[in-house]
Amino acid sequence: MTFTDDRIAQGLMLPVMETFYSLQGEGYHTGKAAFFVRIGGCDNGCWWCDIKESWDAELHPAIHIDEVVFQAEKHPARSVVITGGEPLLYNLNPLCALLHQKGFEIFLETSGSEPPRGSFDWICLSPKKQSPPLDALYPVANELKVIIFEQSDIAWAEDNAYKVNPGCKLFMQAEWSAREVVTPAIVDYILQHPWWMLSLQSHKYIHIP
Ligand code: SF4
């Protein structure tokens, strides 16, 4: 599999690292059952990334989108979370069209470092300092979810919040390894700036994928 494979360029095949059925653990849709599609490939290089195995797309054999949707249909929920890696490295138009045809709603998790190619029902934009979102992502984001590792990241969160549309939901989420230290600071901040909300990685607390 290479990025020059025509079927990958067309979005008919994707280097899927894993699929699983679980509950959304983070952000606005926390607690909602969904089929997760984790697509390999990311060059953002977040040092705290908890899914570094996703970075190298070459490690993940490309599969046809028909197979992805076939697997999704085995489960009762009609919600699909497309995540990564950075899923916007790929043309997701064909996958989204097929999922919508089958009655799924589609939630995208992205850093926003690539242009949106797909039709999504919900876009969760999680900006990364070292590879900030493209301007095109801010107006279309339904949710801004900023990872806070240290107090200074709160200012970065506000920088991003200025750019999203007025209806966008605003979340701060502690980086997992720093959660004991930084969560109290996030809580204090939200108490004073109540248009923000706290996102917890609830799946990690209850040990589900
Ligand atoms: Fe990991 Fe996401 Fe950062 Fe990519 S953007 S390095 S997948 S946390």
Side-chain angles (χ1 to χ4, degrees):
M1 187 276 296
T2 71
F3 282 94
T4 56
D5 185 315
D6 277 350
R7 292 165 302 172
I8 293 177
Q10 293 165 11
L12 299 177
M13 296 188 76
L14 295 166
V16 174
M17 175 182 162
E18 60 178 349
T19 61
F20 54 92
Y21 186 57
S22 189
L23 306 185
Q24 172 60 286
E26 307 176 358
Y28 186 78
H29 292 289
T30 294
K32 194 166 194 172
F35 184 74
F36 287 72
V37 180
R38 186 183 304 285
I39 304 177
C42 183
D43 51 13
N44 288 330
C46 307
W47 67 264
W48 42 260
C49 178
D50 57 3
I51 197 76
K52 291 187 173 75
E53 318 87 89
S54 70
W55 291 5
D56 185 355
E58 299 286 338
L59 297 179
H60 308 294
I63 62 174
H64 200 280
I65 59 171
D66 286 350
E67 176 64 20
V68 175
V69 177
F70 176 73
Q71 294 299 329
E73 285 188 294
K74 291 181 177 177
H75 305 282
R78 284 297 170 263
S79 300
V80 167
V81 176
I82 302 178
T83 186
E86 175 43 70
L88 291 184
L89 284 168
Y90 304 95
N91 175 7
L92 299 177
N93 282 300
L95 176 61
C96 291
L98 199 51
L99 286 168
H100 279 147
Q101 188 186 321
K102 299 287 185 178
F104 287 93
E105 55 180 355
I106 305 170
F107 306 148
L108 176 73
E109 300 274 339
T110 180
S111 68
S113 60
E114 302 289 332
R117 290 183 289 171
S119 173
F120 310 102
D121 300 290
W122 190 268
I123 296 177
C124 175
L125 176 63
S126 187
K128 305 297 185 292
K129 270 183 182 171
Q130 70 280 11
S131 188
L134 302 179
D135 287 345
L137 268 295
Y138 288 106
V140 297
N142 302 97
E143 171 182 359
L144 177 70
K145 184 175 67 189
V146 184
I147 310 303
I148 308 294
F149 175 71
E150 54 193 359
Q151 187 102 19
S152 64
D153 291 335
I154 291 178
W156 158 252
E158 288 290 10
D159 288 347
N160 282 276
Y162 279 119
K163 299 178 183 175
V164 295
N165 72 76
C168 185
K169 309 292 184 191
L170 305 180
F171 288 92
M172 292 184 189
Q173 177 178 295
E175 191 278 323
W176 182 250
S177 70
R179 66 191 183 283
E180 300 291 345
V181 174
V182 81
T183 300
I186 296 173
V187 170
D188 284 348
Y189 190 83
I190 294 174
L191 288 171
Q192 298 306 317
H193 305 82
W195 44 93
W196 284 94
M197 289 178 278
L198 177 66
S199 172
L200 295 174
Q201 290 187 291
S202 62
H203 55 298
K204 294 187 178 181
Y205 287 98
I206 60 174
H207 309 293
I208 61 172

